[in-house]
Amino acid sequence: AQTVTQSQPEMSVQEAETVTLSCTYDTSESDYYLFWYKQPPSRQMILVIRQEAYKQQNATENRFSVNFQKAAKSFSLKISDSQLGDAAMYFCAYRSFQGAQKLVFGQGTRLTINP
Amino acid sequence: ETGVTQTPRHLVMGMTNKKSLKCEQHLGHNAMYWYKQSAKKPLELMFVYNFKEQTENNSVPSRFSPECPNSSHLFLHLHTLQPEDSALYLCASSQPPGAGDTDTQYFGPGTRLTVL
C-alpha cells in the first residue's frame, strides 16, 4: 500500500518570503500522480498543483512550484512571495495512475504567514 | 452555484438519529467520492462512485450508507452512529481515470458532523 508522509506538522514564514513544505511517499508503482492541496479555515480543499510521475519537468503554478525527485520519492512544495492568504493546512496526496481512484493523503502541514 | 456544494455545513445528531448528508457537483463530472477527515488522522477515502455505480468501499461500517441517484448528486445516509464518527465529511468529484487533467478531484466545503 502507498503511504505519504509530511514530516513538518507546522511551518511559519514571513510575508513575501519563500517557504518549502516537505513530502515523501512510498510506492512500488512507476506511474502515478502527486498533488498538493490547500485547506484554509473555510475547510474547502483546494487544488494547488498536480504532477504526473512520468513527467521529468517540475510543475509550476504562479507562485507555487514543486521539486519532484522520483528516485528519492520526494515531492516538496515551494511557495514564493508568501501572502497572508496562503495561510492554511497543506496536504500532499498520491494517486495511482491506473486502478484505484483514491487519493492517499499525508497528515498535513499547517502554514502560518507572519505579517 | 459552481463547483461542489455540500449540505448541511454543520450537523449535530444523537446516536439514535437518522440523518443524511448531501453533495452536488456542477462540474459535469462522472465520478464522486466521500472522504472522512478526523482530527488525528489523515483524510481517508470512504466510497467511490463512477457513473452512479459504487466501485470502491474502503471497509466502511454499514451505519454509513451511500447513495448516488445520478452523476451530479451523492448522499451519505447516517444511522446509529458512534461518537467516534464525529469528523469532517468531504465530498469530491472528478472525471473517471484516464480523462487527463479532468480526473483531478475537486472537493466541496465539507459537513462538520458531531455525534453526541
Side-chain angles (χ1 to χ4, degrees), chain A residues 37 39 44 50 101-102, chain B residues 33 50 56 104-105 107:
Chain A
Y37 282 89
Q39 188 178 38
Q44 183 102 34
R50 162 190 167 122
Q101 290 169 248
K102 73 175 181 181
Chain B
Y33 312 77
N50 285 293
E56 290 188 51
T104 294
Q105 294 178 28
F107 286 80

Side-chain angles (χ1 to χ4, degrees), chain A residues 37-66:
Chain A
Y37 282 89
K38 164 186 174 181
Q39 188 178 38
S42 67
R43 306 190 317 232
Q44 183 102 34
M45 194 76 73
I46 302 165
L47 177 70
V48 175
I49 205 162
R50 162 190 167 122
Q51 174 81 44
E52 289 87 350
Y54 58 85
K55 290 185 178 178
Q56 293 188 343
Q57 187 173 7
N58 288 326
T60 63
E61 194 72 40
N62 299 317
R63 296 182 295 106
F64 299 87
S65 61
V66 298

